[in-house]
């Protein structure tokens, strides 16, 4: 079976999404958030599956991992995005919720090619726009 080729959407020059940077796109009426953390670009639907809150305002963090009693194991540093309303946590790589693999945040493949951030989509979009977005997080976020 032949794999369907993805559509490449040039988002912006790499320097427009620096470390800790965030961008908001609208593709065919769907908001997609982009974040760079630890040098990696992540893209996800900008809507928490719980109550639709914009995830782009969430903190990028790590989380506690399963461990033995009285052990505290931290992991996934800067690979988790936390919903700003109720604190639900999602892995930016997989979209899976930390608390349940049955709940997911839609993620998209992102690449860096020839100095550009490129979003990989299943089909060519009819509409694409950068949306105004402002987010100031404290150092503890």
């Amino acid at each position: 079976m032949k794999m369907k080729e993805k559509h490449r959407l040039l988002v912006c020059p790499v320097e427009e999404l620096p470390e800790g940077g965030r961008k908001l796109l609208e593709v065919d009426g769907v908001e997609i958030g982009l974040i760079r953390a630890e040098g990696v670009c992540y893209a996800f639907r900008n809507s928490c599956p719980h109550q639709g809150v914009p995830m782009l305002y969430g903190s990028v963090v790590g989380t506690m991992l399963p461990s033995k009693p009285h052990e505290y194991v931290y992991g996934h540093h800067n690979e988790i995005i936390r919903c700003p309303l109720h604190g639900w946590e999602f892995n930016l790589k997989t979209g899976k919720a930390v608390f349940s693999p049955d709940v997911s945040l839609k993620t998209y493949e992102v690449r860096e090619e020839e100095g550009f951030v490129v979003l990989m989509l299943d089909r060519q979009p009819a509409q694409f726009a950068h949306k105004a977005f402002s987010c100031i997080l404290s150092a503890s976020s």
Side-chain angles (χ1 to χ4, degrees):
M1 185 159 118
K2 187 178 178 183
M3 294 282 292
K4 185 177 178 186
E5 192 169 316
K6 296 253 184 182
H7 178 76
R8 297 171 59 252
L9 181 64
L10 293 178
V11 174
C12 65
V14 170
E15 56 269 9
E16 288 185 16
L17 191 59
E19 183 64 29
R22 297 168 186 237
K23 283 205 168 290
L24 181 59
L25 313 175
E26 187 170 316
V27 179
D28 290 340
V30 175
E31 285 191 350
I32 297 175
L34 282 98
I35 289 179
R36 182 183 298 275
E38 302 294 318
V40 179
C41 287
Y42 299 100
F44 49 88
R45 180 168 286 166
N46 190 35
S47 179
C48 180
H50 179 219
Q51 289 189 343
V53 173
M55 290 297 292
L56 204 50
Y57 291 102
S59 299
V60 176
V61 297
T63 193
M64 299 308 291
L65 300 175
S67 56
K68 296 176 185 171
H70 307 290
E71 271 188 7
Y72 301 96
V73 180
Y74 174 83
H76 300 293
H77 181 69
N78 285 343
E79 294 178 2
I80 305 295
I81 189 163
R82 184 178 293 145
C83 175
L85 185 59
H86 292 116
W88 286 26
E89 295 179 334
F90 299 89
N91 186 304
L92 284 165
K93 290 181 177 182
T94 65
K96 299 279 185 208
V98 171
F99 63 88
S100 171
D102 296 332
V103 179
S104 293
L105 179 67
K106 168 77 171 143
T107 59
Y108 300 86
E109 181 183 353
V110 184
R111 299 179 183 170
E112 290 184 26
E113 298 177 355
E114 299 177 11
F116 284 90
V117 175
V118 179
L119 185 62
M120 306 303 289
L121 300 170
D122 291 333
R123 60 182 173 77
Q124 183 170 355
Q127 295 178 327
F128 163 68
H130 288 267
K131 291 189 75 174
F133 170 75
S134 179
C135 180
I136 299 172
L137 296 172
S138 68
S140 64
S141 296

